[in-house]
Amino acid sequence: MASTTVTSEFTLEKERKELLEAVQCRLNFAIISHPDAGKTTLTEKLLLYGGAIQQAGAVKARGEQRKVTSDWMELEKQRGISITSTVLQFDYSSSKINLLDTPGHQDFSEDTYRTLSAADNAVMLEDAAKGLEPQTRKLFEVCRMRKIPIFTFINKMDRPGREPLELLDEIESELGLIPWAVNWPIGSGDEFRGVIDRRDRSVTLFEKGERGRQAEESHLQEGDPELSKRVELRLLNKALEELDLLEIAGAELNMDLVHSGEITPVFFGSAMTNFGVRSFLDAFLELAQKPMGRISSGELVDPLSSEFSGFIFKLQANMDPRHRDRVAFMRICSGRFEKNMSVRHARTGKLIRLSRPQKLFGQEREVVDEAYAGDVIGLNNPGMFAIGDTLYTGSKIEYEGIPCFSPEIFSHLRNPNPSTFKSFNKGVNELREEGAVQVLYDTDPSKRDPILAAVGQLQIEVVQYRLEHEYGVQTYLEPLGYTVARWVIGGWSILEKTGRIFNCKTVRDSWGRPVLLFKNEWNLNQLKEEHPEIEICSVAPVVSGLDPIRS
Ligand code: G4P
């Protein structure tokens, strides 16, 4: 008996050690940037280091391939925008890295929010000549909502750019984020000579390689006489003076503040010439936040818990139109995930066997045998998963849901062709489940056409485009002149008690709950003044244990 206890304790200890090792070497992040800042280029260089791709140009090439294999990505090509997001997993040094790619257009900030809800770190990429740009600011706000650590990479130092001190000031004054430069540039543009590492004062010199595309990096110490032979004194002195200024100004690199998203470590480099990318990756791996625990019913679930848990943060249908597949992206939060394991679906209470879980690399799939906290895997979704769903083993875990953004654009979606009624409903339901758009309905049951509600116009266009190309249904829109939506906390009974409300339209959401639509903020304020008894909120409350009404 005693020996059995000792053996099981030994096994438990061994399992815990294995889990600890597996979680400690995992890391995930998303890159946020304005289009053209160099996200594709940086991603590609990171993947090259990870050995995930063998040649430069492969990510773009994959992008091209992707564009021809998926219908709605054709729209991305036509419009020159990036709508979809993918997950790229690669190994580097002894780390297993999950890079969560986010859509590059502000109309899809809700999708970005969902992706960021699965990320433990963000890399904010800036173009040195442009500094903060509109899309970066918006995406930053999304990161701030989640309080995740943000690492800044100031790119294109090989081109004339703005003064580095000015770029740091801008981050601090406009985002309220304290920058802490990890390295400091010597010159910029044609006079860019390299960077000084602030932590040990080592210098990495930049020399343009062939056709200006690939840089040579060489390393020296600050006092090395070789340095003054290779770098103009004027440039070196300026960089050293600026570094002294930073030291006097003085914030310290407090890792608690980095991890709570208050201090951003800043790196200067050039993704295109591959300068400073490896040192960025090395420092990032050292400083980044390891897989975080999540809150379930007010309690933090330890990523090292022996029980498995994870949540669905993204659904995507028809990634590969040849197979009409539906993929649910799951972020693993605790325990060990194994292929074919049976897990409990928190919302419905059903037991589900997870066969054929996939590791994703853009469009490519590979079956995974095991995964741990911090990893993202793709699950086959026959329609049972919704965004925010928790899966677990052991005692019940239900992670906090992912809130929807408040829509600002509303349009009736009409289907003029009754013979496509079934496909129309299927398409609308599936796209709503994916979170591509929110769907509202008239309170009058005879008016069955859905009202599409979105944060940005492009979202609605993508839905129409996908309905046509994936479900074979042509539709037209009738825009409604509303710009503000509010959910009624007390439900229908409170509205019945209130009676008629002027200057707003009452509709129901996909869960049958009342939503008020207003033409403008002024009408909204009017309601607040005239009916203080109606409690309202701007985002749809997260629904648990309930299935939505289908069209
Ligand atoms: P994105 O995904 O953020 O939209 O940006 P992407 O990587 O596609 O880069 C946008 C442009 O900026 C590309 O040029 C790219 O080569 C260039 N770029 C990226 N990093 C650097 C850098 O460190 N220095 C310089 N000088 N340029 C950089 P393009 O002309 O649009 O494309 P291509 O000619 O490279 O194919």
Side-chain angles (χ1 to χ4, degrees), residues 190-362:
D190 284 344
E191 294 197 321
F192 181 54
R193 301 289 177 255
V195 291
I196 306 172
D197 191 306
R198 187 163 162 199
R199 295 167 301 175
D200 62 4
R201 295 274 174 155
S202 61
V203 181
T204 308
L205 290 178
F206 168 87
E207 269 165 55
K208 261 198 181 150
E210 248 177 79
R211 290 183 286 130
R213 281 276 164 172
Q214 180 73 27
E216 302 285 329
E217 287 184 1
S218 52
H219 303 273
L220 294 174
Q221 276 306 313
E222 191 190 337
D224 194 322
E226 184 67 18
L227 195 58
S228 50
K229 287 190 203 149
R230 295 177 57 183
V231 177
E232 298 88 325
L233 208 57
R234 144 186 84 82
L235 297 175
L236 188 62
N237 283 343
K238 179 170 180 280
L240 289 171
E241 274 163 27
E242 286 170 343
L243 263 181
D244 286 343
L245 269 179
L246 291 182
E247 298 303 351
I248 296 165
E252 283 187 17
L253 187 59
N254 175 328
M255 288 314 296
D256 288 338
L257 295 182
V258 171
H259 288 169
S260 59
E262 288 160 81
I263 290 186
T264 178
V266 180
F267 301 79
F268 291 85
S270 158
M272 186 188 79
T273 60
N274 207 357
F275 180 83
V277 178
R278 185 189 280 274
S279 48
F280 165 71
L281 185 56
D282 289 335
F284 176 67
L285 292 184
E286 190 189 317
L287 304 175
Q289 176 140 270
K290 298 280 185 255
M292 288 191 290
R294 309 253 149 179
I295 307 284
S296 160
S297 314
E299 289 198 14
L300 192 73
V301 177
D302 185 355
L304 300 178
S305 149
S306 58
E307 295 293 357
F308 157 81
S309 69
F311 71 94
I312 309 290
F313 65 94
K314 183 176 170 62
L315 302 178
Q316 189 106 57
N318 307 333
M319 282 181 82
D320 183 347
R322 285 168 306 181
H323 301 111
R324 292 275 169 228
D325 59 346
R326 296 167 82 189
V327 178
F329 291 80
M330 175 171 67
R331 150 77 202 240
I332 296 171
C333 301
S334 71
R336 179 169 187 266
F337 172 86
E338 278 172 57
K339 186 173 79 175
N340 290 329
M341 82 191 293
S342 290
V343 300
R344 189 69 66 185
H345 184 230
R347 183 166 51 86
T348 58
K350 284 186 186 145
L351 200 63
I352 304 171
R353 184 156 170 267
L354 300 178
S355 55
R356 293 195 61 76
Q358 296 159 346
K359 174 179 160 172
L360 301 130
F361 191 96

Side-chain angles (χ1 to χ4, degrees), residues 315-518:
L315 302 178
Q316 189 106 57
N318 307 333
M319 282 181 82
D320 183 347
R322 285 168 306 181
H323 301 111
R324 292 275 169 228
D325 59 346
R326 296 167 82 189
V327 178
F329 291 80
M330 175 171 67
R331 150 77 202 240
I332 296 171
C333 301
S334 71
R336 179 169 187 266
F337 172 86
E338 278 172 57
K339 186 173 79 175
N340 290 329
M341 82 191 293
S342 290
V343 300
R344 189 69 66 185
H345 184 230
R347 183 166 51 86
T348 58
K350 284 186 186 145
L351 200 63
I352 304 171
R353 184 156 170 267
L354 300 178
S355 55
R356 293 195 61 76
Q358 296 159 346
K359 174 179 160 172
L360 301 130
F361 191 96
Q363 283 298 291
E364 284 162 30
R365 318 288 165 79
E366 196 182 293
V367 173
V368 270
D369 294 321
E370 59 169 27
Y372 295 89
D375 282 339
V376 170
I377 58 172
L379 303 173
N380 177 28
N381 177 25
M384 71 177 74
F385 298 127
I387 288 166
D389 278 356
T390 303
L391 302 176
Y392 66 94
T393 60
S395 3
K396 183 164 183 181
I397 294 178
E398 189 155 30
Y399 290 113
E400 289 168 347
I402 306 171
C404 299
F405 277 31
S406 197
E408 292 167 21
I409 296 171
F410 306 85
S411 241
H412 260 300
L413 183 70
R414 308 280 190 209
N415 170 21
N417 185 354
S419 68
T420 57
F421 179 70
K422 261 183 141 176
S423 312
F424 174 75
N425 282 351
K426 183 171 189 281
V428 169
N429 283 328
E430 289 188 1
L431 295 175
R432 182 195 53 71
E433 275 164 12
E434 246 185 51
V437 73
Q438 293 182 48
V439 179
L440 306 170
Y441 296 92
D442 231 291
T443 45
D444 177 351
S446 66
K447 296 182 182 162
R448 296 184 60 174
D449 283 345
I451 299 168
L452 301 186
V455 179
Q457 184 61 34
L458 259 179
Q459 256 182 287
I460 292 190
E461 284 179 33
V462 168
V463 166
Q464 265 198 302
Y465 187 92
R466 291 185 60 187
L467 280 173
E468 184 177 345
H469 290 84
E470 292 166 29
Y471 300 89
V473 189
Q474 274 191 330
T475 54
Y476 67 94
L477 296 171
E478 270 173 26
L480 293 161
Y482 301 98
T483 64
V484 183
R486 289 293 181 269
W487 272 256
V488 180
I489 308 261
W492 293 103
S493 57
I494 191 104
L495 289 183
E496 275 155 26
K497 265 191 234 151
T498 309
R500 187 162 158 69
I501 308 172
F502 293 94
N503 293 328
C504 83
K505 179 179 174 70
T506 309
V507 293
R508 60 191 169 91
D509 73 1
S510 302
W511 282 265
R513 302 170 301 186
V515 184
L516 304 177
L517 303 185
F518 302 88

Side-chain angles (χ1 to χ4, degrees), residues 33-43 60 125 127 153 155-159 212-213 269-274:
S33 66
H34 192 85
D36 259 6
K39 188 164 82 161
T40 314
T41 313
L42 181 67
T43 304
K60 280 206 171 153
L125 185 65
D127 180 328
F153 188 88
N155 192 27
K156 306 197 186 180
M157 288 305 294
D158 59 305
R159 287 224 301 236
R213 281 276 164 172
S270 158
M272 186 188 79
T273 60
N274 207 357

